[in-house]
Amino acid sequence: MFNSYQEIDRKEYLEIRNWYAQRIFYASDTFDKTIMTLSISVLWASLLFINNKKEIIGGLKYLIFAWIFLALTILISLISFLLGERSNRDSLDRYDAEYLQKSSKELEDYDSKILVKSKIIWIIKILTIIFLILWVCFLVLFFYSNIPVHHV
C-alpha cells in the first residue's frame, strides 16, 4: 500500500476508493440477503404446510412463536442492512477525509462513529442468528406436533 495519501494521485485514489466501496458493500450485503432469503423461504414452506394440512392437530402456539421470531429476524436484518449502509458511507467519508488531509480530530470522529456502528452491527448480527435459531426450533416443534400418530 502507500506510505502517505500524498503519494497517491487522483486516479489511484479513485481506484482505491472504488475498490473499498465495492468490498464494503459486498460484505454487508451478503449476510443480509442470505438471512432475508432464508427467512422468506421458510415462511413460504410453513404456509404451504399449513395450507396442505386438512387439520392442525396441535402446537399452534409453536407456530405463533416461530412467526414472531421470523418477524424479529426480518426486522433486525433490515435494521442491520440500513445501519451497515450508513457505516459503509462513514468508512468512505473517513477515507476521503484522510486523502484530503483533514485534521486528526476529524479523523478520530470518523473512527469513533465507525467503531460504534461496527459494534452495534455485530450485536445485531448475533441477535439475528439467535432469533433465527429460535424461529427454526419453534417451527420444528410445530411440525413435530402435527405429525399424525397412528396407534396399532
Side-chain angles (χ1 to χ4, degrees):
M1 199 43 91
F2 300 96
N3 293 333
S4 159
Y5 288 97
Q6 295 171 348
E7 298 175 18
I8 304 174
D9 68 12
R10 182 79 176 148
K11 182 180 177 188
E12 289 173 314
Y13 161 74
L14 290 174
E15 288 174 5
I16 292 170
R17 188 183 188 286
N18 185 39
W19 181 81
Y20 275 130
Q22 290 173 354
R23 296 290 300 156
I24 289 169
F25 176 76
Y26 179 76
S28 172
D29 196 47
T30 304
F31 179 82
D32 298 322
K33 280 184 180 177
T34 302
I35 294 297
M36 293 299 285
T37 301
L38 183 61
S39 299
I40 296 200
S41 299
V42 176
L43 174 63
W44 184 253
S46 67
L47 289 173
L48 282 175
F49 177 82
I50 291 169
N51 191 36
N52 290 334
K53 286 289 276 178
K54 292 186 170 110
E55 162 183 336
I56 295 178
I57 299 169
L60 192 57
K61 64 183 175 217
Y62 297 134
L63 182 62
I64 291 169
F65 281 121
W67 282 351
I68 288 170
F69 284 115
L70 170 66
L72 288 172
T73 300
I74 292 171
L75 178 67
I76 208 159
S77 291
L78 290 173
I79 291 169
S80 171
F81 177 76
L82 293 173
L83 193 58
E85 288 298 307
R86 185 62 242 164
S87 181
N88 293 345
R89 170 58 37 209
D90 288 343
S91 295
L92 287 174
D93 289 347
R94 198 255 185 241
Y95 181 70
D96 291 341
E98 189 167 355
Y99 177 74
L100 297 173
Q101 300 176 349
K102 298 287 183 170
S103 71
S104 61
K105 172 70 173 124
E106 287 178 286
L107 295 177
E108 287 174 10
D109 289 345
Y110 279 116
D111 290 341
S112 65
K113 283 197 293 189
I114 293 167
L115 181 63
V116 167
K117 287 178 184 162
S118 295
K119 287 180 180 181
I120 292 171
I121 290 170
W122 181 248
I123 291 168
I124 287 173
K125 289 187 189 264
I126 290 171
L127 285 174
T128 302
I129 292 168
I130 290 169
F131 289 155
L132 186 65
I133 290 169
L134 288 170
W135 165 49
V136 169
C137 289
F138 279 109
L139 200 58
V140 167
L141 286 171
F142 170 73
F143 289 149
Y144 183 74
S145 65
N146 279 284
I147 295 174
V149 178
H150 298 287
H151 297 287
V152 181

